[in-house]
Amino acid sequence: MLKYQKIASEIEMKITKLNLSQGSKLPNTKTLSQEYNVGRNTIIKALELLESRGLIYQVQGSGTFVRQKSRKGYITLLANHGYTENLSYFDLKSKVISFNMINAPKNVAANLRCTMKDKVYKVERVHFVHDQILCLEETYYKVSTIPFLNNEIVGGAIYKYIEDILNIEVGYSDKYLIVKKVDDHTSEYLQLPKDSPMLLIEEIYYTKNGDPFNFSKNYYHYEHSQFFLQS
Amino acid sequence: MLKYQKIASEIEMKITKLNLSQGSKLPNTKTLSQEYNVGRNTIIKALELLESRGLIYQVQGSGTFVRQKSRKGYITLLANHGYTENLSYFDLKSKVISFNMINAPKNVAANLRCTMKDKVYKVERVHFVHDQILCLEETYYKVSTIPFLNNEIVGGAIYKYIEDILNIEVGYSDKYLIVKKVDDHTSEYLQLPKDSPMLLIEEIYYTKNGDPFNFSKNYYHYEHSQFFLQS
């Protein structure tokens, strides 16, 4: 984690801890740079990061202000750290349905920019929030980037393992949202009747170096999931 | 538009015009600052803006690279400039269903942080892409911020009017996504049978000063809309 990212997360924790409301003014950059004992450029970069994440807004000439917290119970679409981490403030449980190593199916190979001879780990999990079915996750990890996974790891926080143990820096992601009706497979796991609505979110995650290493298809239970986005 | 925003949009146009592919390296900041005849800090800010919009990625120590264009036909969820502008590369047509000034209904007042005695413009439009129904838009503008609208304006690009004529700078937005089944009203305008899936996107737009001036409920035809998000 770079210095400005560390400062940003400290400022974020402070906003949460003090429960600062919409429009609360933060100290100016000079004061913050003294408080955190870093240069003003570091503070400016930290504030830009917080702004891009929708936590604050800056008004030229008048300062930096806290943004209202989003409605409760919505899942953020901008997070980049896998299921368990993004939903850590929900009561999340997961159940592994299947876990194996296979040759990359055609659309997986296309999204991970590899060949159909390349190996991928395939993991299927069902996630629950407050014991309600949240989604069915079908996810593929490129073995050339993620050389090892086991049952214990896929039963927990896969991204924590990738970032903390494999030391892979997650760079960015593409997400595609498509509303459709459940098919037989998703109907079974989401326990929804035929023709029910469903949100499919396809996600491709890249390392800092631009290598697509993870492709996921997440099928959300429409009655148990809502999403938000601040930009 | 600030200088770095202008530079960012010039770099973006260049990427599009030269049809640069995923991983193409951009010139370094020194070269860009000479090319555009601006300081390096302006270039750095421009590149940060492009990165936050998912058009490039920066690798520390090795440079700035073009990100793959998203799949075609997907609507971006990160744009902040209203319908007509975001969809300008689609063949978009709109039809005004209703336009009037009313007292703010309860949930509109809550989202626009005003009272139910405050006036709002209510506009209902149906949007079409390639002559297919894209969505039904139900949108409310706070009269205290947007003092004037007429039939001609709401028949066109409302945000262009707000930004260019009223000189209001749009700051940020909150978006909420909810998948549900169509009701009688949406079923009629989306021309979908009873119980069809539908995506509702609720959006709140704020000025640069943090004033929520526009609240929209957009009901998307699930077969004619797909969304993407780069982060």
Side-chain angles (χ1 to χ4, degrees):
Chain A
M1 209 187 250
L2 298 170
K3 195 154 67 172
Y4 77 94
Q5 294 170 322
K6 206 169 149 270
I7 302 290
S9 98
E10 285 179 25
I11 295 174
E12 181 180 352
M13 279 195 291
K14 201 154 187 175
I15 291 172
T16 310
K17 220 164 123 186
L18 297 177
N19 204 7
L20 296 180
S21 61
Q22 167 79 19
S24 301
K25 193 172 177 174
L26 295 187
N28 64 28
T29 51
K30 195 177 158 193
T31 311
L32 287 171
S33 99
Q34 287 162 350
E35 187 178 336
Y36 291 100
N37 200 21
V38 293
R40 259 164 101 169
N41 278 336
T42 305
I43 293 295
I44 289 168
K45 287 197 77 169
L47 293 179
E48 278 171 359
L49 179 62
L50 291 173
E51 183 166 29
S52 76
R53 292 176 48 204
L55 290 159
I56 59 167
Y57 60 98
Q58 306 194 57
V59 181
Q60 229 162 6
S62 55
T64 304
F65 304 88
V66 173
R67 279 184 68 172
Q68 189 190 33
K69 286 214 198 72
S70 60
R71 304 179 195 176
K72 283 197 180 130
Y74 284 73
I75 300 166
T76 176
L77 279 172
L78 278 181
N80 255 350
H81 297 276
Y83 257 100
T84 324
E85 290 78 355
N86 292 345
L87 296 173
S88 56
Y89 52 101
F90 292 103
D91 172 28
L92 185 75
K93 291 198 185 99
S94 303
K95 196 176 119 191
V96 179
I97 308 280
S98 73
F99 166 55
N100 49 345
M101 193 194 279
I102 57 171
N103 288 323
K106 194 172 175 186
N107 83 319
V108 175
N111 282 296
L112 294 181
R113 287 186 221 139
C114 63
T115 74
M116 289 170 70
K117 284 182 184 156
D118 285 302
K119 296 286 178 198
V120 292
Y121 284 111
K122 176 180 180 182
V123 185
E124 277 192 297
R125 302 191 292 186
V126 178
H127 297 285
F128 303 83
V129 166
H130 301 305
D131 296 322
Q132 285 190 319
I133 297 167
L134 174 69
C135 70
L136 171 67
E137 179 195 19
E138 177 189 324
T139 186
Y140 301 87
Y141 294 93
K142 203 158 64 177
V143 172
S144 60
T145 315
I146 311 293
F148 182 73
L149 286 178
N150 64 20
N151 277 303
E152 195 194 327
I153 297 165
V154 304
I158 302 180
Y159 269 65
K160 201 169 157 54
Y161 162 77
I162 290 173
E163 294 181 304
D164 295 354
I165 309 294
L166 297 183
N167 277 315
I168 290 172
E169 278 194 88
V170 179
Y172 54 90
S173 67
D174 297 329
K175 300 186 187 186
Y176 299 92
L177 284 74
I178 301 145
V179 174
K180 41 177 24 180
K181 293 178 182 170
V182 292
D183 58 18
D184 290 346
H185 185 65
T186 45
S187 162
E188 181 190 338
Y189 284 105
L190 298 179
Q191 291 176 21
L192 278 170
K194 195 170 173 292
D195 286 344
S196 294
M198 159 178 86
L199 178 65
L200 164 60
I201 306 189
E202 292 194 9
E203 307 184 336
I204 307 164
Y205 286 90
Y206 300 77
T207 65
K208 273 264 180 233
N209 300 321
D211 172 30
F213 68 96
N214 177 210
F215 173 61
S216 289
K217 298 171 86 160
N218 300 308
Y219 303 94
Y220 284 90
H221 192 300
Y222 77 109
E223 287 171 317
H224 304 160
S225 63
Q226 306 187 102
F227 300 84
F228 82 95
L229 185 64
Q230 297 186 304
S231 60
Chain B
M1 207 187 253
L2 298 171
K3 196 155 65 172
Y4 78 93
Q5 294 170 322
K6 206 167 149 272
I7 302 291
S9 98
E10 285 181 24
I11 295 174
E12 181 180 351
M13 279 197 289
K14 201 154 188 176
I15 291 173
T16 310
K17 219 164 123 186
L18 297 177
N19 203 10
L20 296 181
S21 60
Q22 166 79 18
S24 301
K25 193 172 177 174
L26 294 187
N28 62 28
T29 52
K30 196 175 156 195
T31 310
L32 288 171
S33 97
Q34 286 162 352
E35 187 177 337
Y36 291 99
N37 201 21
V38 293
R40 259 165 101 167
N41 278 336
T42 305
I43 294 295
I44 289 168
K45 286 196 79 169
L47 294 178
E48 277 171 359
L49 180 62
L50 291 172
E51 184 166 28
S52 76
R53 292 177 48 203
L55 290 160
I56 59 167
Y57 61 98
Q58 305 194 56
V59 180
Q60 229 163 7
S62 55
T64 304
F65 303 87
V66 173
R67 279 183 69 172
Q68 189 189 34
K69 285 213 198 72
S70 59
R71 304 179 194 176
K72 283 198 178 128
Y74 284 73
I75 300 166
T76 177
L77 280 172
L78 278 182
N80 255 349
H81 297 276
Y83 257 100
T84 324
E85 290 77 357
N86 292 345
L87 296 173
S88 57
Y89 52 101
F90 293 103
D91 172 28
L92 185 76
K93 291 198 183 100
S94 303
K95 198 177 118 189
V96 178
I97 309 281
S98 73
F99 165 55
N100 48 346
M101 194 195 278
I102 56 172
N103 289 323
K106 194 170 174 188
N107 83 320
V108 175
N111 282 296
L112 294 180
R113 287 186 219 140
C114 63
T115 74
M116 290 170 68
K117 284 182 184 156
D118 285 304
K119 296 285 178 199
V120 293
Y121 284 112
K122 176 180 179 182
V123 185
E124 277 192 298
R125 303 191 291 186
V126 178
H127 298 285
F128 302 84
V129 166
H130 301 306
D131 295 323
Q132 285 190 316
I133 297 167
L134 175 68
C135 70
L136 170 66
E137 179 195 19
E138 177 189 326
T139 186
Y140 300 87
Y141 295 92
K142 202 156 67 176
V143 172
S144 60
T145 315
I146 311 294
F148 181 75
L149 286 177
N150 65 19
N151 277 303
E152 196 193 327
I153 297 165
V154 304
I158 302 179
Y159 268 66
K160 203 171 155 53
Y161 162 76
I162 289 173
E163 293 181 302
D164 295 353
I165 309 295
L166 297 184
N167 277 316
I168 291 173
E169 276 194 89
V170 179
Y172 54 90
S173 67
D174 298 328
K175 301 187 185 184
Y176 299 92
L177 285 73
I178 300 147
V179 174
K180 42 180 17 182
K181 293 178 181 172
V182 292
D183 58 18
D184 290 347
H185 185 65
T186 46
S187 162
E188 181 191 338
Y189 283 105
L190 298 179
Q191 291 175 24
L192 278 171
K194 194 169 173 294
D195 286 342
S196 294
M198 159 178 86
L199 179 65
L200 163 60
I201 306 189
E202 292 194 11
E203 306 183 337
I204 307 163
Y205 285 90
Y206 300 79
T207 65
K208 273 265 181 231
N209 301 320
D211 172 30
F213 68 95
N214 177 210
F215 173 62
S216 289
K217 296 170 87 160
N218 299 309
Y219 303 93
Y220 284 90
H221 192 299
Y222 78 108
E223 287 170 318
H224 304 159
S225 62
Q226 306 187 103
F227 300 84
F228 82 93
L229 184 64
Q230 297 184 303
S231 59

mmCIF file of all heavy atoms in Angstrom, chain B residues 30-51:
data_model
loop_
_atom_site.group_PDB
_atom_site.id
_atom_site.type_symbol
_atom_site.label_atom_id
_atom_site.label_comp_id
_atom_site.label_asym_id
_atom_site.label_seq_id
_atom_site.Cartn_x
_atom_site.Cartn_y
_atom_site.Cartn_z
ATOM 1 N N LYS B 30 6.592 13.923 -19.854
ATOM 2 C CA LYS B 30 7.418 15.018 -20.368
ATOM 3 C C LYS B 30 7.060 15.294 -21.841
ATOM 4 O O LYS B 30 6.809 16.434 -22.233
ATOM 5 C CB LYS B 30 8.903 14.634 -20.248
ATOM 6 C CG LYS B 30 9.822 15.823 -20.397
ATOM 7 C CD LYS B 30 11.263 15.410 -20.161
ATOM 8 C CE LYS B 30 12.194 16.394 -20.864
ATOM 9 N NZ LYS B 30 13.558 15.861 -20.969
ATOM 10 N N THR B 31 7.021 14.216 -22.646
ATOM 11 C CA THR B 31 6.692 14.359 -24.068
ATOM 12 C C THR B 31 5.283 14.939 -24.235
ATOM 13 O O THR B 31 5.052 15.835 -25.057
ATOM 14 C CB THR B 31 6.765 12.978 -24.762
ATOM 15 O OG1 THR B 31 8.010 12.379 -24.414
ATOM 16 C CG2 THR B 31 6.656 13.112 -26.266
ATOM 17 N N LEU B 32 4.320 14.414 -23.444
ATOM 18 C CA LEU B 32 2.944 14.917 -23.547
ATOM 19 C C LEU B 32 2.876 16.392 -23.159
ATOM 20 O O LEU B 32 2.134 17.166 -23.777
ATOM 21 C CB LEU B 32 2.000 14.099 -22.648
ATOM 22 C CG LEU B 32 1.686 12.671 -23.119
ATOM 23 C CD1 LEU B 32 0.927 11.902 -22.030
ATOM 24 C CD2 LEU B 32 0.864 12.688 -24.414
ATOM 25 N N SER B 33 3.653 16.781 -22.150
ATOM 26 C CA SER B 33 3.574 18.174 -21.709
ATOM 27 C C SER B 33 4.136 19.109 -22.791
ATOM 28 O O SER B 33 3.652 20.229 -22.976
ATOM 29 C CB SER B 33 4.250 18.358 -20.343
ATOM 30 O OG SER B 33 5.558 18.818 -20.483
ATOM 31 N N GLN B 34 5.134 18.609 -23.550
ATOM 32 C CA GLN B 34 5.633 19.409 -24.688
ATOM 33 C C GLN B 34 4.599 19.426 -25.812
ATOM 34 O O GLN B 34 4.296 20.469 -26.386
ATOM 35 C CB GLN B 34 6.965 18.830 -25.186
ATOM 36 C CG GLN B 34 8.124 19.134 -24.236
ATOM 37 C CD GLN B 34 9.332 18.232 -24.462
ATOM 38 O OE1 GLN B 34 9.271 17.265 -25.227
ATOM 39 N NE2 GLN B 34 10.433 18.527 -23.788
ATOM 40 N N GLU B 35 4.032 18.243 -26.097
ATOM 41 C CA GLU B 35 3.069 18.126 -27.196
ATOM 42 C C GLU B 35 1.859 19.046 -26.992
ATOM 43 O O GLU B 35 1.397 19.694 -27.927
ATOM 44 C CB GLU B 35 2.613 16.663 -27.303
ATOM 45 C CG GLU B 35 1.732 16.379 -28.511
ATOM 46 C CD GLU B 35 1.359 14.900 -28.603
ATOM 47 O OE1 GLU B 35 2.075 14.043 -28.042
ATOM 48 O OE2 GLU B 35 0.320 14.612 -29.226
ATOM 49 N N TYR B 36 1.342 19.089 -25.749
ATOM 50 C CA TYR B 36 0.146 19.893 -25.491
ATOM 51 C C TYR B 36 0.479 21.277 -24.940
ATOM 52 O O TYR B 36 -0.411 22.061 -24.634
ATOM 53 C CB TYR B 36 -0.802 19.149 -24.558
ATOM 54 C CG TYR B 36 -1.411 17.936 -25.227
ATOM 55 C CD1 TYR B 36 -0.913 16.659 -25.004
ATOM 56 C CD2 TYR B 36 -2.487 18.075 -26.116
ATOM 57 C CE1 TYR B 36 -1.456 15.554 -25.632
ATOM 58 C CE2 TYR B 36 -3.039 16.980 -26.744
ATOM 59 C CZ TYR B 36 -2.517 15.722 -26.505
ATOM 60 O OH TYR B 36 -3.070 14.621 -27.132
ATOM 61 N N ASN B 37 1.791 21.508 -24.766
ATOM 62 C CA ASN B 37 2.242 22.818 -24.326
ATOM 63 C C ASN B 37 1.627 23.241 -22.990
ATOM 64 O O ASN B 37 1.139 24.363 -22.833
ATOM 65 C CB ASN B 37 1.937 23.860 -25.428
ATOM 66 C CG ASN B 37 2.796 25.105 -25.280
ATOM 67 O OD1 ASN B 37 3.848 25.062 -24.633
ATOM 68 N ND2 ASN B 37 2.343 26.205 -25.851
ATOM 69 N N VAL B 38 1.620 22.312 -22.036
ATOM 70 C CA VAL B 38 1.140 22.608 -20.674
ATOM 71 C C VAL B 38 2.127 22.003 -19.678
ATOM 72 O O VAL B 38 2.996 21.208 -20.052
ATOM 73 C CB VAL B 38 -0.249 21.979 -20.399
ATOM 74 C CG1 VAL B 38 -1.330 22.619 -21.260
ATOM 75 C CG2 VAL B 38 -0.221 20.462 -20.618
ATOM 76 N N GLY B 39 1.979 22.386 -18.411
ATOM 77 C CA GLY B 39 2.865 21.869 -17.376
ATOM 78 C C GLY B 39 2.661 20.371 -17.151
ATOM 79 O O GLY B 39 1.632 19.813 -17.513
ATOM 80 N N ARG B 40 3.662 19.731 -16.536
ATOM 81 C CA ARG B 40 3.546 18.292 -16.300
ATOM 82 C C ARG B 40 2.440 17.960 -15.309
ATOM 83 O O ARG B 40 1.804 16.911 -15.404
ATOM 84 C CB ARG B 40 4.866 17.734 -15.790
ATOM 85 C CG ARG B 40 5.599 17.058 -16.939
ATOM 86 C CD ARG B 40 7.011 16.814 -16.617
ATOM 87 N NE ARG B 40 7.269 15.438 -16.239
ATOM 88 C CZ ARG B 40 8.510 14.951 -16.162
ATOM 89 N NH1 ARG B 40 9.530 15.744 -16.429
ATOM 90 N NH2 ARG B 40 8.712 13.718 -15.817
ATOM 91 N N ASN B 41 2.191 18.859 -14.352
ATOM 92 C CA ASN B 41 1.112 18.599 -13.385
ATOM 93 C C ASN B 41 -0.248 18.511 -14.063
ATOM 94 O O ASN B 41 -1.094 17.711 -13.672
ATOM 95 C CB ASN B 41 1.081 19.697 -12.311
ATOM 96 C CG ASN B 41 2.118 19.404 -11.235
ATOM 97 O OD1 ASN B 41 2.504 18.247 -11.050
ATOM 98 N ND2 ASN B 41 2.561 20.442 -10.550
ATOM 99 N N THR B 42 -0.436 19.345 -15.095
ATOM 100 C CA THR B 42 -1.689 19.290 -15.850
ATOM 101 C C THR B 42 -1.826 17.946 -16.555
ATOM 102 O O THR B 42 -2.892 17.320 -16.555
ATOM 103 C CB THR B 42 -1.739 20.442 -16.880
ATOM 104 O OG1 THR B 42 -1.533 21.669 -16.179
ATOM 105 C CG2 THR B 42 -3.083 20.501 -17.592
ATOM 106 N N ILE B 43 -0.719 17.477 -17.139
ATOM 107 C CA ILE B 43 -0.716 16.163 -17.798
ATOM 108 C C ILE B 43 -1.032 15.053 -16.789
ATOM 109 O O ILE B 43 -1.856 14.168 -17.037
ATOM 110 C CB ILE B 43 0.650 15.896 -18.475
ATOM 111 C CG1 ILE B 43 0.879 16.867 -19.636
ATOM 112 C CG2 ILE B 43 0.751 14.442 -18.960
ATOM 113 C CD1 ILE B 43 -0.081 16.718 -20.799
ATOM 114 N N ILE B 44 -0.382 15.151 -15.612
ATOM 115 C CA ILE B 44 -0.607 14.121 -14.582
ATOM 116 C C ILE B 44 -2.074 14.088 -14.173
ATOM 117 O O ILE B 44 -2.694 13.012 -14.063
ATOM 118 C CB ILE B 44 0.330 14.366 -13.367
ATOM 119 C CG1 ILE B 44 1.780 14.030 -13.766
ATOM 120 C CG2 ILE B 44 -0.091 13.521 -12.160
ATOM 121 C CD1 ILE B 44 2.835 14.488 -12.782
ATOM 122 N N LYS B 45 -2.681 15.282 -13.999
ATOM 123 C CA LYS B 45 -4.105 15.329 -13.635
ATOM 124 C C LYS B 45 -4.981 14.780 -14.755
ATOM 125 O O LYS B 45 -5.965 14.079 -14.516
ATOM 126 C CB LYS B 45 -4.533 16.763 -13.278
ATOM 127 C CG LYS B 45 -4.018 17.211 -11.920
ATOM 128 C CD LYS B 45 -4.759 18.447 -11.415
ATOM 129 C CE LYS B 45 -6.109 18.093 -10.830
ATOM 130 N NZ LYS B 45 -6.723 19.222 -10.103
ATOM 131 N N ALA B 46 -4.625 15.110 -15.996
ATOM 132 C CA ALA B 46 -5.392 14.609 -17.144
ATOM 133 C C ALA B 46 -5.332 13.085 -17.200
ATOM 134 O O ALA B 46 -6.351 12.415 -17.411
ATOM 135 C CB ALA B 46 -4.869 15.226 -18.444
ATOM 136 N N LEU B 47 -4.133 12.521 -16.974
ATOM 137 C CA LEU B 47 -3.986 11.066 -17.015
ATOM 138 C C LEU B 47 -4.747 10.400 -15.868
ATOM 139 O O LEU B 47 -5.353 9.340 -16.036
ATOM 140 C CB LEU B 47 -2.502 10.668 -16.968
ATOM 141 C CG LEU B 47 -1.671 11.075 -18.200
ATOM 142 C CD1 LEU B 47 -0.212 10.658 -18.013
ATOM 143 C CD2 LEU B 47 -2.229 10.471 -19.490
ATOM 144 N N GLU B 48 -4.743 11.046 -14.709
ATOM 145 C CA GLU B 48 -5.501 10.489 -13.576
ATOM 146 C C GLU B 48 -6.990 10.446 -13.890
ATOM 147 O O GLU B 48 -7.688 9.493 -13.556
ATOM 148 C CB GLU B 48 -5.253 11.304 -12.301
ATOM 149 C CG GLU B 48 -3.964 10.857 -11.608
ATOM 150 C CD GLU B 48 -3.550 11.768 -10.459
ATOM 151 O OE1 GLU B 48 -4.246 12.773 -10.194
ATOM 152 O OE2 GLU B 48 -2.509 11.466 -9.842
ATOM 153 N N LEU B 49 -7.478 11.505 -14.562
ATOM 154 C CA LEU B 49 -8.888 11.535 -14.957
ATOM 155 C C LEU B 49 -9.195 10.397 -15.926
ATOM 156 O O LEU B 49 -10.184 9.676 -15.781
ATOM 157 C CB LEU B 49 -9.220 12.897 -15.596
ATOM 158 C CG LEU B 49 -10.658 13.079 -16.062
ATOM 159 C CD1 LEU B 49 -11.628 12.986 -14.900
ATOM 160 C CD2 LEU B 49 -10.839 14.435 -16.758
ATOM 161 N N LEU B 50 -8.333 10.221 -16.920
ATOM 162 C CA LEU B 50 -8.546 9.146 -17.903
ATOM 163 C C LEU B 50 -8.471 7.770 -17.235
ATOM 164 O O LEU B 50 -9.212 6.859 -17.584
ATOM 165 C CB LEU B 50 -7.513 9.246 -19.035
ATOM 166 C CG LEU B 50 -7.671 10.456 -19.960
ATOM 167 C CD1 LEU B 50 -6.483 10.554 -20.918
ATOM 168 C CD2 LEU B 50 -8.970 10.371 -20.753
ATOM 169 N N GLU B 51 -7.570 7.650 -16.252
ATOM 170 C CA GLU B 51 -7.466 6.374 -15.533
ATOM 171 C C GLU B 51 -8.746 6.104 -14.748
ATOM 172 O O GLU B 51 -9.277 4.995 -14.779
ATOM 173 C CB GLU B 51 -6.259 6.393 -14.588
ATOM 174 C CG GLU B 51 -6.064 5.052 -13.893
ATOM 175 C CD GLU B 51 -4.700 4.919 -13.209
ATOM 176 O OE1 GLU B 51 -4.132 5.950 -12.807
ATOM 177 O OE2 GLU B 51 -4.223 3.768 -13.088
#
